[in-house]
Amino acid sequence: MASSVAAPAGTSRSRQASGSPAPCSARPRPLWTRNFVAGTFLNFFIAGNYFMLMVVMTAYALSVYQAPASVAAFCASAFILGTLFSRFITAPLMDRVGRLPLLVVGCCTEVALTALYLLNEPLGALIGVRLLHGFAYGVCSTVIATIITSIVPPERKGEGIGYFMLSITLGSAIGPFAGIFLANNFGYPVTFAVAAVLASLSIPAALLLRPPRETRVRGRKTAAREEVEAAEEAAGGAVADAPVESALSEAVAARAETVAAGDKSAEGATCPVCAGADDDCPMCTRIPSTHLEEVVTNKVRHSPLVRFVEAGVLPISLVCGLLFFGYSSLLTFLTPYANEIGLGRAASVFFVAYALAMFVTRPFTGRAFDRVGPHPVMIPAFFSFSAGMAVVAFAANDWMLLGAALLLGFGVGTVQSCGLAMAVRVSSDERLGVANATFYMLLDVGVGIGPVLLGVLVPLIGYSALYLCMAAVGLVAFALFLVVAKTEKGAR
Protein backbone atom coordinates (compact mmCIF):
# COMPACT_ATOMS: atom_id res chain seq x y z
CA MET A 1 0.00 0.00 0.00
CA ALA A 2 2.14 2.80 -1.28
CA SER A 3 -0.24 5.63 -0.50
CA SER A 4 -3.40 6.48 1.31
CA VAL A 5 -5.27 6.34 -1.97
CA ALA A 6 -3.98 2.95 -3.07
CA ALA A 7 -4.55 1.28 0.25
CA PRO A 8 -8.36 1.09 0.28
CA ALA A 9 -8.46 -0.11 -3.32
CA GLY A 10 -6.04 -2.91 -2.61
CA THR A 11 -7.94 -3.83 0.51
CA SER A 12 -11.16 -3.93 -1.48
CA ARG A 13 -9.66 -6.20 -4.10
CA SER A 14 -8.31 -8.59 -1.50
CA ARG A 15 -11.64 -8.77 0.24
CA GLN A 16 -13.51 -9.48 -2.96
CA ALA A 17 -11.04 -12.17 -3.95
CA SER A 18 -11.55 -13.94 -0.63
CA GLY A 19 -15.34 -13.78 -0.84
CA SER A 20 -15.74 -11.13 1.92
CA PRO A 21 -18.11 -8.21 1.43
CA ALA A 22 -16.77 -5.11 -0.20
CA PRO A 23 -16.65 -1.84 1.72
CA CYS A 24 -19.72 0.34 1.65
CA SER A 25 -17.80 3.08 -0.14
CA ALA A 26 -16.74 0.82 -3.01
CA ARG A 27 -18.59 0.72 -6.31
CA PRO A 28 -21.56 -1.73 -6.07
CA ARG A 29 -20.68 -5.11 -7.51
CA PRO A 30 -22.75 -6.43 -10.44
CA LEU A 31 -25.40 -9.06 -9.83
CA TRP A 32 -25.84 -10.67 -13.26
CA THR A 33 -22.41 -12.26 -13.54
CA ARG A 34 -21.60 -15.51 -15.37
CA ASN A 35 -21.58 -17.35 -12.06
CA PHE A 36 -24.99 -16.02 -11.07
CA VAL A 37 -26.63 -16.80 -14.43
CA ALA A 38 -25.10 -20.29 -14.70
CA GLY A 39 -26.03 -21.11 -11.10
CA THR A 40 -29.61 -19.92 -11.56
CA PHE A 41 -30.07 -22.01 -14.71
CA LEU A 42 -28.51 -25.02 -12.97
CA ASN A 43 -30.99 -24.68 -10.12
CA PHE A 44 -33.86 -24.54 -12.63
CA PHE A 45 -32.69 -27.74 -14.34
CA ILE A 46 -32.49 -29.77 -11.13
CA ALA A 47 -35.74 -28.28 -9.75
CA GLY A 48 -37.56 -29.05 -12.99
CA ASN A 49 -36.30 -32.65 -12.84
CA TYR A 50 -37.46 -32.92 -9.23
CA PHE A 51 -40.99 -31.59 -9.79
CA MET A 52 -41.46 -33.44 -13.09
CA LEU A 53 -40.87 -36.80 -11.44
CA MET A 54 -42.58 -35.98 -8.13
CA VAL A 55 -46.00 -35.47 -9.72
CA VAL A 56 -45.95 -38.74 -11.71
CA MET A 57 -44.24 -41.12 -9.30
CA THR A 58 -47.31 -42.11 -7.28
CA ALA A 59 -49.36 -42.80 -10.41
CA TYR A 60 -46.38 -44.68 -11.90
CA ALA A 61 -46.16 -47.00 -8.87
CA LEU A 62 -49.91 -47.56 -8.89
CA SER A 63 -50.24 -48.36 -12.59
CA VAL A 64 -46.97 -50.18 -13.35
CA TYR A 65 -46.32 -51.99 -10.05
CA GLN A 66 -49.92 -52.26 -8.83
CA ALA A 67 -48.61 -51.02 -5.48
CA PRO A 68 -50.96 -50.21 -2.58
CA ALA A 69 -51.80 -46.52 -2.28
CA SER A 70 -49.67 -46.04 0.84
CA VAL A 71 -46.63 -47.67 -0.80
CA ALA A 72 -47.14 -45.71 -4.00
CA ALA A 73 -47.26 -42.46 -2.02
CA PHE A 74 -44.05 -43.47 -0.25
CA CYS A 75 -42.35 -43.87 -3.63
CA ALA A 76 -42.86 -40.14 -4.06
CA SER A 77 -42.11 -39.04 -0.49
CA ALA A 78 -38.97 -41.22 -0.20
CA PHE A 79 -37.31 -38.53 -2.31
CA ILE A 80 -37.91 -36.00 0.49
CA LEU A 81 -36.37 -38.35 3.07
CA GLY A 82 -33.20 -38.61 0.98
CA THR A 83 -33.12 -34.84 0.57
CA LEU A 84 -33.52 -34.29 4.30
CA PHE A 85 -30.64 -36.65 5.12
CA SER A 86 -28.39 -34.89 2.64
CA ARG A 87 -28.83 -31.56 4.43
CA PHE A 88 -26.98 -32.91 7.48
CA ILE A 89 -23.81 -33.95 5.68
CA THR A 90 -23.54 -31.63 2.67
CA ALA A 91 -21.83 -28.84 4.60
CA PRO A 92 -19.06 -31.13 5.97
CA LEU A 93 -18.67 -32.60 2.47
CA MET A 94 -18.22 -29.12 1.02
CA ASP A 95 -15.49 -28.42 3.55
CA ARG A 96 -13.70 -31.67 2.70
CA VAL A 97 -14.23 -31.94 -1.08
CA GLY A 98 -14.89 -28.37 -2.17
CA ARG A 99 -18.07 -26.75 -3.44
CA LEU A 100 -17.57 -27.00 -7.18
CA PRO A 101 -16.28 -30.63 -7.32
CA LEU A 102 -19.13 -31.75 -5.06
CA LEU A 103 -21.66 -29.95 -7.27
CA VAL A 104 -20.36 -31.59 -10.46
CA VAL A 105 -20.45 -35.05 -8.86
CA GLY A 106 -23.97 -34.40 -7.57
CA CYS A 107 -25.23 -33.34 -11.01
CA CYS A 108 -23.73 -36.42 -12.68
CA THR A 109 -25.32 -38.61 -10.00
CA GLU A 110 -28.72 -37.03 -10.62
CA VAL A 111 -28.49 -37.87 -14.33
CA ALA A 112 -27.48 -41.48 -13.64
CA LEU A 113 -30.24 -42.02 -11.07
CA THR A 114 -32.89 -40.51 -13.35
CA ALA A 115 -31.82 -42.89 -16.11
CA LEU A 116 -32.30 -45.85 -13.73
CA TYR A 117 -36.07 -45.25 -13.76
CA LEU A 118 -36.05 -46.55 -17.34
CA LEU A 119 -34.98 -50.03 -16.18
CA ASN A 120 -38.30 -50.94 -14.52
CA GLU A 121 -36.44 -52.20 -11.45
CA PRO A 122 -38.37 -54.00 -8.65
CA LEU A 123 -40.48 -51.87 -6.32
CA GLY A 124 -37.97 -52.05 -3.48
CA ALA A 125 -35.19 -50.95 -5.83
CA LEU A 126 -37.40 -48.08 -7.08
CA ILE A 127 -37.78 -46.81 -3.52
CA GLY A 128 -34.01 -47.10 -3.05
CA VAL A 129 -33.40 -45.08 -6.22
CA ARG A 130 -35.84 -42.45 -5.00
CA LEU A 131 -33.95 -42.17 -1.71
CA LEU A 132 -30.61 -41.80 -3.48
CA HIS A 133 -32.07 -39.38 -6.01
CA GLY A 134 -33.40 -37.22 -3.19
CA PHE A 135 -29.97 -37.31 -1.55
CA ALA A 136 -28.29 -36.18 -4.79
CA TYR A 137 -30.82 -33.39 -5.29
CA GLY A 138 -30.31 -32.21 -1.71
CA VAL A 139 -26.56 -32.06 -2.23
CA CYS A 140 -26.86 -30.13 -5.50
CA SER A 141 -29.47 -27.67 -4.25
CA THR A 142 -27.55 -26.94 -1.05
CA VAL A 143 -24.22 -26.46 -2.82
CA ILE A 144 -25.58 -24.21 -5.57
CA ALA A 145 -27.49 -22.12 -3.02
CA THR A 146 -24.27 -21.75 -1.03
CA ILE A 147 -22.32 -20.67 -4.09
CA ILE A 148 -24.96 -18.16 -5.17
CA THR A 149 -25.47 -16.64 -1.72
CA SER A 150 -21.70 -16.24 -1.39
CA ILE A 151 -21.32 -14.30 -4.65
CA VAL A 152 -24.40 -12.05 -4.38
CA PRO A 153 -23.26 -8.60 -3.22
CA PRO A 154 -24.27 -7.97 0.43
CA GLU A 155 -26.18 -4.81 -0.45
CA ARG A 156 -28.29 -6.80 -2.97
CA LYS A 157 -28.94 -9.99 -1.00
CA GLY A 158 -32.72 -9.72 -1.10
CA GLU A 159 -32.85 -8.87 -4.80
CA GLY A 160 -30.25 -11.48 -5.81
CA ILE A 161 -31.78 -14.32 -3.83
CA GLY A 162 -35.23 -13.33 -5.11
CA TYR A 163 -34.07 -13.70 -8.70
CA PHE A 164 -32.24 -16.93 -7.90
CA MET A 165 -35.32 -18.46 -6.27
CA LEU A 166 -37.30 -17.77 -9.42
CA SER A 167 -35.49 -20.77 -10.86
CA ILE A 168 -37.37 -22.96 -8.39
CA THR A 169 -40.58 -21.10 -9.20
CA LEU A 170 -40.21 -21.88 -12.90
CA GLY A 171 -39.25 -25.47 -12.10
CA SER A 172 -42.36 -25.88 -9.92
CA ALA A 173 -44.56 -24.58 -12.75
CA ILE A 174 -42.99 -26.18 -15.83
CA GLY A 175 -41.93 -29.46 -14.21
CA PRO A 176 -45.37 -30.70 -13.08
CA PHE A 177 -47.03 -29.54 -16.29
CA ALA A 178 -44.42 -31.30 -18.46
CA GLY A 179 -44.47 -34.44 -16.32
CA ILE A 180 -48.25 -34.87 -16.47
CA PHE A 181 -48.43 -33.98 -20.17
CA LEU A 182 -45.66 -36.41 -21.17
CA ALA A 183 -46.95 -39.24 -18.97
CA ASN A 184 -50.50 -38.93 -20.28
CA ASN A 185 -49.58 -38.57 -23.96
CA PHE A 186 -46.30 -40.47 -24.45
CA GLY A 187 -45.93 -42.78 -21.46
CA TYR A 188 -43.56 -43.01 -18.52
CA PRO A 189 -40.38 -44.03 -20.41
CA VAL A 190 -40.48 -40.80 -22.45
CA THR A 191 -41.13 -38.83 -19.26
CA PHE A 192 -38.08 -40.34 -17.56
CA ALA A 193 -35.93 -39.79 -20.65
CA VAL A 194 -36.87 -36.10 -20.84
CA ALA A 195 -36.24 -35.72 -17.11
CA ALA A 196 -32.78 -37.24 -17.56
CA VAL A 197 -32.02 -34.83 -20.42
CA LEU A 198 -33.15 -31.91 -18.27
CA ALA A 199 -30.90 -33.02 -15.41
CA SER A 200 -27.97 -33.50 -17.81
CA LEU A 201 -28.12 -29.79 -18.70
CA SER A 202 -27.03 -29.04 -15.15
CA ILE A 203 -23.58 -30.52 -15.83
CA PRO A 204 -22.38 -27.92 -18.39
CA ALA A 205 -23.96 -25.22 -16.21
CA ALA A 206 -21.87 -26.47 -13.28
CA LEU A 207 -18.72 -26.51 -15.41
CA LEU A 208 -19.33 -22.87 -16.38
CA LEU A 209 -19.15 -21.79 -12.74
CA ARG A 210 -15.99 -20.06 -11.54
CA PRO A 211 -16.86 -19.12 -7.96
CA PRO A 212 -14.27 -17.37 -5.81
CA ARG A 213 -12.26 -19.59 -3.51
CA GLU A 214 -14.00 -20.20 -0.21
CA THR A 215 -12.74 -18.27 2.74
CA ARG A 216 -10.63 -20.52 4.91
CA VAL A 217 -9.90 -18.55 8.07
CA ARG A 218 -6.92 -19.59 10.14
CA GLY A 219 -6.32 -18.06 13.55
CA ARG A 220 -8.70 -16.18 15.83
CA LYS A 221 -7.30 -12.73 14.97
CA THR A 222 -7.94 -13.16 11.27
CA ALA A 223 -11.34 -14.69 11.94
CA ALA A 224 -12.31 -11.85 14.24
CA ARG A 225 -11.20 -9.19 11.75
CA GLU A 226 -13.07 -10.72 8.80
CA GLU A 227 -16.18 -11.45 10.83
CA VAL A 228 -16.29 -7.89 12.14
CA GLU A 229 -15.96 -6.49 8.61
CA ALA A 230 -18.61 -8.85 7.20
CA ALA A 231 -21.02 -8.12 10.04
CA GLU A 232 -20.52 -4.37 9.65
CA GLU A 233 -21.43 -4.61 5.97
CA ALA A 234 -24.44 -6.88 6.55
CA ALA A 235 -25.82 -4.95 9.53
CA GLY A 236 -26.10 -1.63 7.71
CA GLY A 237 -29.18 -0.66 9.70
CA ALA A 238 -27.94 -1.72 13.15
CA VAL A 239 -29.79 -0.33 16.13
CA ALA A 240 -27.97 2.70 17.43
CA ASP A 241 -28.33 1.95 21.11
CA ALA A 242 -26.59 -1.46 20.97
CA PRO A 243 -23.17 -1.08 22.64
CA VAL A 244 -21.53 -3.93 20.73
CA GLU A 245 -22.58 -2.57 17.37
CA SER A 246 -21.39 0.93 18.34
CA ALA A 247 -18.04 -0.44 19.42
CA LEU A 248 -17.75 -2.37 16.17
CA SER A 249 -18.49 0.68 14.08
CA GLU A 250 -15.97 2.83 15.90
CA ALA A 251 -13.28 0.13 15.88
CA VAL A 252 -13.63 -0.63 12.18
CA ALA A 253 -13.62 3.06 11.27
CA ALA A 254 -10.51 3.66 13.35
CA ARG A 255 -8.71 0.67 11.82
CA ALA A 256 -9.65 1.78 8.28
CA GLU A 257 -8.20 5.24 8.92
CA THR A 258 -5.00 3.73 10.30
CA VAL A 259 -4.62 1.37 7.34
CA ALA A 260 -5.32 4.20 4.90
CA ALA A 261 -2.51 6.18 6.53
CA GLY A 262 -0.09 3.41 5.61
CA ASP A 263 0.19 1.54 8.94
CA LYS A 264 0.23 -2.12 7.83
CA SER A 265 0.38 -3.37 11.40
CA ALA A 266 -3.23 -2.25 11.89
CA GLU A 267 -4.42 -5.00 9.54
CA GLY A 268 -3.42 -7.69 12.00
CA ALA A 269 -4.24 -5.79 15.17
CA THR A 270 -5.92 -7.57 18.06
CA CYS A 271 -9.53 -7.01 18.99
CA PRO A 272 -9.93 -3.39 20.18
CA VAL A 273 -12.43 -4.46 22.86
CA CYS A 274 -10.69 -7.41 24.52
CA ALA A 275 -7.16 -7.09 23.08
CA GLY A 276 -7.34 -10.72 22.04
CA ALA A 277 -7.61 -11.98 25.62
CA ASP A 278 -11.30 -12.94 25.86
CA ASP A 279 -12.59 -15.92 23.87
CA ASP A 280 -16.19 -14.86 24.57
CA CYS A 281 -15.73 -11.27 23.43
CA PRO A 282 -18.64 -10.36 21.11
CA MET A 283 -16.24 -8.77 18.63
CA CYS A 284 -14.32 -12.02 18.26
CA THR A 285 -17.39 -14.07 17.38
CA ARG A 286 -20.23 -13.94 14.85
CA ILE A 287 -22.65 -11.12 15.68
CA PRO A 288 -26.17 -12.51 16.21
CA SER A 289 -28.86 -11.10 13.95
CA THR A 290 -31.52 -11.24 16.69
CA HIS A 291 -31.72 -11.69 20.44
CA LEU A 292 -33.35 -15.09 19.90
CA GLU A 293 -30.46 -16.11 17.67
CA GLU A 294 -28.06 -15.22 20.47
CA VAL A 295 -29.91 -17.48 22.92
CA VAL A 296 -30.06 -20.40 20.47
CA THR A 297 -26.41 -19.94 19.47
CA ASN A 298 -25.27 -20.14 23.08
CA LYS A 299 -27.12 -23.45 23.46
CA VAL A 300 -25.65 -25.07 20.35
CA ARG A 301 -22.15 -23.56 20.33
CA HIS A 302 -20.48 -26.30 22.39
CA SER A 303 -22.57 -29.25 21.17
CA PRO A 304 -21.74 -31.74 18.37
CA LEU A 305 -24.58 -30.24 16.34
CA VAL A 306 -22.46 -27.20 15.54
CA ARG A 307 -20.86 -29.11 12.62
CA PHE A 308 -24.22 -29.68 10.95
CA VAL A 309 -26.48 -26.84 12.13
CA GLU A 310 -26.01 -23.07 12.06
CA ALA A 311 -27.79 -22.14 15.28
CA GLY A 312 -28.41 -18.53 14.33
CA VAL A 313 -30.38 -19.61 11.24
CA LEU A 314 -32.75 -21.88 13.18
CA PRO A 315 -35.29 -19.23 14.30
CA ILE A 316 -36.13 -17.85 10.84
CA SER A 317 -35.85 -21.37 9.37
CA LEU A 318 -38.49 -22.60 11.83
CA VAL A 319 -40.81 -19.79 10.77
CA CYS A 320 -40.41 -20.64 7.08
CA GLY A 321 -40.66 -24.38 7.79
CA LEU A 322 -43.99 -23.81 9.54
CA LEU A 323 -45.29 -21.93 6.51
CA PHE A 324 -44.16 -24.77 4.24
CA PHE A 325 -46.00 -27.21 6.50
CA GLY A 326 -49.14 -25.32 5.50
CA TYR A 327 -48.04 -25.24 1.86
CA SER A 328 -47.77 -29.06 1.86
CA SER A 329 -51.56 -29.21 2.17
CA LEU A 330 -51.79 -27.76 -1.33
CA LEU A 331 -49.35 -30.26 -2.79
CA THR A 332 -51.16 -33.21 -1.22
CA PHE A 333 -54.87 -32.45 -1.09
CA LEU A 334 -55.71 -29.66 -3.54
CA THR A 335 -56.58 -32.00 -6.44
CA PRO A 336 -59.00 -34.28 -4.51
CA TYR A 337 -60.55 -31.25 -2.80
CA ALA A 338 -61.05 -29.42 -6.10
CA ASN A 339 -62.58 -32.51 -7.70
CA GLU A 340 -64.91 -32.87 -4.72
CA ILE A 341 -66.25 -29.32 -5.13
CA GLY A 342 -66.31 -29.43 -8.93
CA LEU A 343 -63.32 -27.14 -9.58
CA GLY A 344 -60.99 -29.68 -11.16
CA ARG A 345 -60.43 -27.49 -14.22
CA ALA A 346 -59.11 -24.60 -12.12
CA ALA A 347 -56.99 -26.98 -10.05
CA SER A 348 -55.19 -28.15 -13.19
CA VAL A 349 -53.72 -24.65 -13.69
CA PHE A 350 -53.61 -23.66 -10.01
CA PHE A 351 -49.84 -24.02 -9.71
CA VAL A 352 -49.27 -22.16 -12.97
CA ALA A 353 -51.07 -19.13 -11.50
CA TYR A 354 -49.22 -19.71 -8.22
CA ALA A 355 -45.85 -19.68 -10.01
CA LEU A 356 -46.84 -16.63 -12.07
CA ALA A 357 -47.51 -14.65 -8.89
CA MET A 358 -44.09 -15.66 -7.56
CA PHE A 359 -42.40 -14.77 -10.82
CA VAL A 360 -43.95 -11.29 -10.96
CA THR A 361 -43.55 -10.30 -7.30
CA ARG A 362 -40.18 -11.75 -6.26
CA PRO A 363 -37.92 -9.20 -8.00
CA PHE A 364 -39.86 -6.30 -6.45
CA THR A 365 -39.99 -7.84 -2.98
CA GLY A 366 -36.27 -8.61 -3.14
CA ARG A 367 -35.38 -4.99 -3.90
CA ALA A 368 -37.75 -3.77 -1.20
CA PHE A 369 -36.15 -6.15 1.30
CA ASP A 370 -32.73 -4.64 0.58
CA ARG A 371 -34.03 -1.09 0.96
CA VAL A 372 -36.37 -1.25 3.95
CA GLY A 373 -35.63 -4.54 5.71
CA PRO A 374 -37.78 -7.63 6.31
CA HIS A 375 -40.81 -6.28 8.19
CA PRO A 376 -42.52 -4.13 5.50
CA VAL A 377 -42.03 -6.91 2.95
CA MET A 378 -42.71 -10.11 4.88
CA ILE A 379 -45.64 -9.01 7.05
CA PRO A 380 -47.97 -8.56 4.03
CA ALA A 381 -46.73 -11.93 2.72
CA PHE A 382 -47.87 -13.77 5.87
CA PHE A 383 -51.32 -12.18 5.65
CA SER A 384 -51.47 -13.01 1.94
CA PHE A 385 -50.76 -16.66 2.73
CA SER A 386 -53.49 -16.83 5.37
CA ALA A 387 -55.97 -15.02 3.13
CA GLY A 388 -55.17 -17.39 0.27
CA MET A 389 -55.81 -20.44 2.42
CA ALA A 390 -59.13 -18.98 3.60
CA VAL A 391 -60.20 -18.33 -0.01
CA VAL A 392 -59.32 -21.95 -0.88
CA ALA A 393 -61.48 -23.12 2.02
CA PHE A 394 -64.52 -21.17 0.76
CA ALA A 395 -63.85 -21.43 -3.01
CA ALA A 396 -67.10 -21.59 -4.94
CA ASN A 397 -65.89 -21.04 -8.51
CA ASP A 398 -62.78 -21.22 -10.67
CA TRP A 399 -61.91 -17.55 -10.25
CA MET A 400 -61.84 -17.79 -6.46
CA LEU A 401 -59.47 -20.73 -6.61
CA LEU A 402 -57.15 -18.98 -9.07
CA GLY A 403 -57.27 -15.81 -6.99
CA ALA A 404 -56.19 -17.88 -4.00
CA ALA A 405 -53.28 -19.20 -6.09
CA LEU A 406 -52.10 -15.63 -6.70
CA LEU A 407 -52.30 -14.75 -3.01
CA LEU A 408 -50.47 -17.92 -2.00
CA GLY A 409 -47.80 -17.46 -4.67
CA PHE A 410 -46.97 -14.00 -3.33
CA GLY A 411 -47.05 -15.19 0.29
CA VAL A 412 -44.96 -18.35 -0.01
CA GLY A 413 -42.52 -16.92 -2.55
CA THR A 414 -41.79 -13.79 -0.55
CA VAL A 415 -41.38 -15.54 2.79
CA GLN A 416 -39.11 -18.19 1.29
CA SER A 417 -36.73 -15.87 -0.55
CA CYS A 418 -36.60 -13.13 2.09
CA GLY A 419 -36.28 -15.71 4.85
CA LEU A 420 -33.24 -17.20 3.10
CA ALA A 421 -31.77 -13.70 2.69
CA MET A 422 -32.21 -13.10 6.44
CA ALA A 423 -30.58 -16.45 7.15
CA VAL A 424 -27.44 -16.02 5.06
CA ARG A 425 -26.61 -12.35 4.87
CA VAL A 426 -24.79 -12.23 8.21
CA SER A 427 -23.25 -15.69 7.92
CA SER A 428 -19.52 -15.92 7.36
CA ASP A 429 -18.41 -17.64 4.17
CA GLU A 430 -17.02 -20.71 5.93
CA ARG A 431 -20.42 -21.23 7.64
CA LEU A 432 -22.51 -20.36 4.60
CA GLY A 433 -22.94 -24.00 3.55
CA VAL A 434 -24.16 -24.96 7.02
CA ALA A 435 -26.54 -21.98 7.05
CA ASN A 436 -28.09 -22.95 3.70
CA ALA A 437 -28.34 -26.61 4.74
CA THR A 438 -30.05 -25.64 8.00
CA PHE A 439 -32.59 -23.43 6.23
CA TYR A 440 -33.52 -26.02 3.61
CA MET A 441 -33.55 -28.78 6.22
CA LEU A 442 -36.39 -27.06 8.09
CA LEU A 443 -38.29 -26.49 4.83
CA ASP A 444 -37.91 -30.19 3.99
CA VAL A 445 -39.20 -31.15 7.43
CA GLY A 446 -42.27 -28.96 6.97
CA VAL A 447 -43.09 -30.36 3.53
CA GLY A 448 -42.23 -33.92 4.58
CA ILE A 449 -44.28 -34.27 7.76
CA GLY A 450 -47.21 -32.21 6.47
CA PRO A 451 -48.85 -34.94 4.35
CA VAL A 452 -48.50 -37.50 7.16
CA LEU A 453 -50.04 -35.36 9.91
CA LEU A 454 -52.65 -33.71 7.72
CA GLY A 455 -53.61 -37.05 6.20
CA VAL A 456 -54.77 -38.10 9.68
CA LEU A 457 -56.66 -34.83 10.12
CA VAL A 458 -58.58 -34.76 6.82
CA PRO A 459 -60.97 -37.67 7.57
CA LEU A 460 -61.90 -36.00 10.86
CA ILE A 461 -62.60 -32.43 9.75
CA GLY A 462 -62.77 -32.44 5.93
CA TYR A 463 -60.90 -30.45 3.31
CA SER A 464 -62.52 -27.05 3.82
CA ALA A 465 -61.82 -27.01 7.56
CA LEU A 466 -58.29 -28.21 6.84
CA TYR A 467 -57.53 -25.13 4.75
CA LEU A 468 -59.02 -22.88 7.42
CA CYS A 469 -56.59 -24.50 9.85
CA MET A 470 -53.75 -23.77 7.42
CA ALA A 471 -54.82 -20.11 7.40
CA ALA A 472 -54.42 -20.17 11.18
CA VAL A 473 -50.99 -21.79 10.75
CA GLY A 474 -49.99 -18.79 8.62
CA LEU A 475 -51.00 -16.43 11.43
CA VAL A 476 -48.99 -18.47 13.94
CA ALA A 477 -45.97 -18.27 11.64
CA PHE A 478 -46.50 -14.49 11.46
CA ALA A 479 -46.53 -14.21 15.25
CA LEU A 480 -43.30 -16.24 15.47
CA PHE A 481 -41.75 -14.03 12.80
CA LEU A 482 -42.42 -10.95 14.92
CA VAL A 483 -40.60 -12.61 17.81
CA VAL A 484 -37.70 -13.77 15.64
CA ALA A 485 -37.19 -10.54 13.70
CA LYS A 486 -38.02 -7.87 16.27
CA THR A 487 -34.34 -6.86 16.53
CA GLU A 488 -33.27 -7.78 13.01
CA LYS A 489 -30.40 -5.44 12.22
CA GLY A 490 -31.25 -5.18 8.53
CA ALA A 491 -34.49 -3.30 9.28
CA ARG A 492 -34.10 0.36 8.36
Side-chain angles (χ1 to χ4, degrees), residues 151-238:
I151 64 175
V152 171
E155 68 276 8
R156 303 181 72 178
K157 282 291 187 198
E159 180 186 3
I161 292 176
Y163 282 123
F164 171 70
M165 297 300 283
L166 284 177
S167 58
I168 299 180
T169 302
L170 290 175
S172 67
I174 296 174
F177 176 79
I180 294 173
F181 176 81
L182 292 171
N184 290 341
N185 293 277
F186 300 99
Y188 293 110
V190 173
T191 305
F192 297 146
V194 172
V197 171
L198 186 62
S200 67
L201 295 176
S202 66
I203 298 175
L207 296 176
L208 284 173
L209 289 168
R210 293 294 184 273
R213 294 184 60 186
E214 297 93 337
T215 304
R216 301 190 182 277
V217 180
R218 292 179 175 86
R220 288 196 58 79
K221 294 179 182 178
T222 307
R225 185 175 72 250
E226 294 191 3
E227 289 285 47
V228 168
E229 292 166 352
E232 277 293 297
E233 293 294 330

Side-chain angles (χ1 to χ4, degrees), residues 132-377:
L132 292 174
H133 192 180
F135 181 87
Y137 172 77
V139 169
C140 292
S141 59
T142 302
V143 175
I144 192 57
T146 302
I147 291 175
I148 292 298
T149 51
S150 70
I151 64 175
V152 171
E155 68 276 8
R156 303 181 72 178
K157 282 291 187 198
E159 180 186 3
I161 292 176
Y163 282 123
F164 171 70
M165 297 300 283
L166 284 177
S167 58
I168 299 180
T169 302
L170 290 175
S172 67
I174 296 174
F177 176 79
I180 294 173
F181 176 81
L182 292 171
N184 290 341
N185 293 277
F186 300 99
Y188 293 110
V190 173
T191 305
F192 297 146
V194 172
V197 171
L198 186 62
S200 67
L201 295 176
S202 66
I203 298 175
L207 296 176
L208 284 173
L209 289 168
R210 293 294 184 273
R213 294 184 60 186
E214 297 93 337
T215 304
R216 301 190 182 277
V217 180
R218 292 179 175 86
R220 288 196 58 79
K221 294 179 182 178
T222 307
R225 185 175 72 250
E226 294 191 3
E227 289 285 47
V228 168
E229 292 166 352
E232 277 293 297
E233 293 294 330
V239 288
D241 58 349
V244 171
E245 284 75 9
S246 298
L248 283 171
S249 180
E250 295 171 3
V252 171
R255 183 171 65 247
E257 292 177 3
T258 307
V259 172
D263 185 358
K264 295 183 180 180
S265 63
E267 293 186 0
T270 57
C271 172
V273 173
C274 71
D278 185 2
D279 286 342
D280 293 324
C281 171
M283 285 193 67
C284 294
T285 55
R286 179 182 186 274
I287 300 173
S289 177
T290 65
H291 290 317
L292 183 59
E293 175 187 334
E294 185 175 4
V295 173
V296 175
T297 301
N298 290 334
K299 295 289 186 182
V300 179
R301 179 184 297 172
H302 302 296
S303 73
L305 287 176
V306 74
R307 292 186 58 198
F308 310 101
V309 174
E310 179 67 9
V313 175
L314 284 173
I316 187 61
S317 301
L318 285 170
V319 172
C320 296
L322 183 60
L323 204 75
F324 267 68
F325 172 83
Y327 168 69
S328 71
S329 65
L330 297 173
L331 294 175
T332 309
F333 302 112
L334 178 67
T335 299
Y337 171 57
N339 290 334
E340 181 180 282
I341 60 177
L343 300 180
R345 182 179 60 178
S348 64
V349 294
F350 179 92
F351 286 102
V352 175
Y354 169 90
L356 180 64
M358 280 190 181
F359 189 82
V360 171
T361 59
R362 265 185 175 170
F364 301 102
T365 56
R367 293 195 195 100
F369 177 90
D370 290 329
R371 293 191 184 103
V372 300
H375 291 79
V377 179

